[in-house]
Amino acid sequence: MSNLPRLAFCIPTYNRSAMVGEFLEQFAYIFYQLGIDIFYYDSSEDNTTELVVKRWKNVYQNITYIHTPSDWHANHKVLYIYKQYSQNHTYDYLWVCGDSVRHSKKILKQVIALLDSGYDMMVINGTGRGGNGTRRYMDGNEFFQDCAWHMTLFGAVIVNVHTILENAPWSYIEEKYEIPEHINYSHIGLYFESIYRLEKFRAYHLVAGQEVWGSRLKGRAGWYQDAFKILCEYWPSTVNALPSYYTDKWTAINKLGYYSCLLPWSFLFFRSGHVYNIHTFFKYRKILIGMSHLNTFQLWSLACLNPRAAYYLATNGLNGYLKECQKVYRLHGYCKGNQTIYIYGAGGVAKRYAEYLERKKIIYQGFLVTQKENNPEIFQNHSVIPLCQFNPSYDRVRIIIGLNKKNMEEIQPMLMEHGIWEHSFHEYIEPVMLIDWKEEKNL
């Protein structure tokens, strides 16, 4: 490799100053320590984000702020970033990442260690899906088959500036992929048009698991209202426009659905915003069968039936639904009486429990966390208490474990050691059971 700085971490953002501030609060020092330069490409309509970034730039000189026009399409901005670095020759590797995606220090160190290997691309997979494990690739078509679906995520791909970007046919890519039916996945066009033109190709797929997560502040994506048009029309159109070198394209197309965007829970998420409904079902049902691995009846039920029942018709059947109802009943029994209730955790699952308890008018005192670091002091307008400061009396205290299944398993030995586990409510309740579906006007 060259003597250039190794890695530029570029974050396109738009009107998300709070999320930008959260990231810099948690990671500015870590990136500075590791020698990773941070570049914010901000299209906000005011200067709030600019002020946040420049305040941190006064502390850490590895942070740079760049303003881009507010009317740019998000994917046009990403191609602009890639093209700038292809012309400036200032870094060996470029990592374009969504403003809500977070990577642990462990993963960042692993990435840095991989930079000397000279890979053309590195893919960071924090979903636990795909089944291809941590491995190397030397065949571009195999890489396409296994990884294209996940490479749609901004933050999943680190590119070699010299091999992928500097030799890219930019005019051709812009003309072919910056059109309405392709622009949402124009970065996929860039990646695989460039790979196709390499004489030799080497990539690394890194399974990151729980070392990658999303910000608590993340809201709905900007493309939420157009989700099914983008997934069912634009995504297939873009993949089919790739060179014929890439084979079995419909298998690659479908993987984005059943590994990522079109899980049963996703349909209910879209339904809650009136994006998935009976009209969407009829319009896209043929392609959705392949992309979701659900049958016609399951897709119809997710559009029309009681959301909780529909979810289980698409997953475990009605017996699964009844089992979850029993868990909710036991939760209410656990909370009965004049008890002091805490929720263990301060993430998405804990928030879901908190909102459920509030709707049911069950009073809780606050949240418990393993350690103070990387956790807020206040969450959902309640105090967040590190475990070391918590001295419970278990005849009066109730603790609901508000973690996902994997984290619950990992934390169990420590909670048993503290005598908390045996007194807690630690049955994992599926999210669909805790959401307030009455908010849907069309149900």
Side-chain angles (χ1 to χ4, degrees):
M1 299 298 288
S2 69
N3 294 320
L4 295 172
R6 310 311 307 278
L7 179 63
F9 190 83
C10 299
I11 309 173
T13 190
Y14 174 74
N15 288 348
R16 286 178 164 179
S17 58
M19 197 177 298
V20 170
E22 178 201 57
F23 173 83
L24 293 172
E25 178 75 35
Q26 295 176 358
F27 291 98
Y29 178 64
I30 293 173
F31 275 63
Y32 179 76
Q33 276 186 315
L34 297 176
I36 303 172
D37 292 338
I38 302 170
F39 294 84
Y40 268 102
Y41 285 80
D42 175 35
S43 302
S44 298
E45 295 167 348
D46 59 31
N47 68 342
T48 310
T49 300
E50 180 180 4
L51 294 174
V52 171
V53 174
K54 289 187 174 179
R55 183 166 67 248
W56 282 94
K57 178 176 172 58
N58 290 333
V59 181
Y60 300 108
Q61 294 304 305
N62 64 319
I63 299 172
T64 300
Y65 175 88
I66 300 103
H67 183 74
T68 52
S70 298
D71 59 351
W72 277 7
H73 190 287
N75 288 68
H76 174 73
K77 182 159 62 172
V78 169
L79 279 195
Y80 169 81
I81 294 169
Y82 279 134
K83 189 174 183 181
Q84 291 298 302
Y85 284 85
S86 75
Q87 298 170 339
N88 295 342
H89 312 291
T90 48
Y91 288 87
D92 287 328
Y93 282 93
L94 181 59
W95 191 352
V96 176
C97 189
D99 55 11
S100 66
V101 181
R102 307 288 183 255
H103 300 85
S104 71
K105 188 174 182 179
K106 176 182 175 181
I107 287 298
L108 295 172
K109 285 183 173 181
Q110 286 182 264
V111 167
I112 290 171
L114 287 168
L115 296 180
D116 287 328
S117 301
Y119 289 110
D120 300 303
M121 280 189 175
M122 289 174 271
V123 174
I124 316 300
N125 188 339
T127 69
R129 305 186 192 107
N132 39 328
T134 294
R135 56 161 295 189
R136 297 177 178 86
Y137 286 89
M138 298 184 69
D139 180 273
N141 189 45
E142 184 185 12
F143 183 66
F144 163 76
Q145 293 292 333
D146 288 351
C147 302
W149 69 273
H150 185 57
M151 293 167 68
T152 59
L153 173 69
F154 294 138
V157 181
I158 302 169
V159 300
N160 185 318
V161 173
H162 309 298
T163 62
I164 296 296
L165 300 184
E166 290 180 1
N167 297 315
W170 283 103
S171 296
Y172 174 80
I173 287 169
E174 289 166 343
E175 182 178 347
K176 184 174 182 180
Y177 294 101
E178 286 206 299
I179 59 175
E181 57 266 37
H182 295 161
I183 192 168
N184 289 86
Y185 298 103
S186 54
H187 54 304
I188 295 295
L190 168 63
Y191 299 153
F192 288 102
E193 292 284 355
S194 296
I195 291 171
Y196 166 67
R197 288 165 171 77
L198 293 176
E199 289 185 13
K200 293 182 179 180
F201 171 71
R202 294 173 66 245
Y204 193 83
H205 178 267
L206 175 63
V207 174
Q210 299 295 315
E211 304 297 327
V212 180
W213 65 94
S215 166
R216 295 186 184 96
L217 302 177
K218 179 176 171 58
R220 288 175 173 174
W223 49 268
Y224 177 82
Q225 292 296 329
D226 298 316
F228 284 90
K229 188 176 186 69
I230 291 170
L231 291 169
C232 298
E233 296 183 31
Y234 297 168
W235 169 239
S237 177
T238 304
V239 172
N240 284 319
L242 295 175
S244 58
Y245 164 77
Y246 301 106
T247 60
D248 202 9
K249 290 180 177 179
W250 272 104
T251 298
I253 288 166
N254 288 340
K255 285 181 179 179
L256 179 61
Y258 60 76
Y259 282 152
S260 180
C261 299
L262 293 175
L263 303 168
W265 170 250
S266 309
F267 283 94
L268 294 182
F269 172 66
F270 289 126
R271 177 176 168 176
S272 69
H274 310 290
V275 174
Y276 184 66
N277 50 42
I278 192 63
H279 305 292
T280 319
F281 163 75
F282 279 120
K283 184 173 183 178
Y284 294 116
R285 66 186 184 279
K286 290 183 180 179
I287 190 171
L288 286 175
I289 289 171
M291 291 189 72
S292 68
H293 281 189
L294 298 172
N295 61 39
T296 300
F297 175 71
Q298 290 170 323
L299 290 167
W300 172 84
S301 68
L302 287 165
C304 299
L305 296 185
N306 173 282
R308 297 182 179 91
Y311 177 81
Y312 283 95
L313 284 172
T315 53
N316 301 318
L318 283 177
N319 284 338
Y321 174 56
L322 294 175
K323 287 180 180 179
E324 291 298 312
C325 289
Q326 290 167 359
K327 289 182 189 178
V328 173
Y329 179 79
R330 289 193 289 270
L331 172 65
H332 280 260
Y334 179 78
C335 296
K336 272 185 178 178
N338 188 23
Q339 306 294 345
T340 303
I341 299 171
Y342 288 89
I343 300 171
Y344 195 95
V349 180
K351 180 182 178 183
R352 196 155 54 235
Y353 274 106
E355 291 173 344
Y356 180 82
L357 295 180
E358 289 168 6
R359 286 198 307 275
K360 299 300 179 182
K361 302 190 185 308
I362 299 172
I363 297 172
Y364 67 98
Q365 301 303 310
F367 299 87
L368 303 177
V369 293
T370 306
Q371 56 190 13
K372 185 176 181 180
E373 184 182 4
N374 290 334
N375 282 299
E377 293 184 2
I378 301 293
F379 186 56
Q380 294 291 105
N381 298 316
H382 286 69
S383 297
V384 177
I385 304 170
L387 200 57
C388 62
Q389 299 175 14
F390 184 64
N391 297 303
S393 173
Y394 291 115
D395 59 339
R396 292 183 288 106
V397 170
R398 295 287 184 266
I399 300 172
I400 299 167
I401 308 300
L403 303 171
N404 62 39
K405 291 180 182 178
K406 181 175 175 57
N407 288 347
M408 197 182 289
E409 290 174 3
E410 292 175 351
I411 209 76
Q412 180 179 349
M414 188 271 291
L415 294 182
M416 291 179 70
E417 184 179 333
H418 282 77
I420 292 176
W421 184 262
E422 61 191 278
H423 299 285
S424 68
F425 180 87
H426 48 260
E427 294 187 78
Y428 181 79
I429 299 176
E430 291 289 345
V432 69
M433 304 300 294
L434 301 176
I435 298 295
D436 183 15
W437 294 104
K438 291 180 181 178
E439 293 177 0
E440 289 194 279
K441 306 299 184 185
N442 62 337
L443 293 182

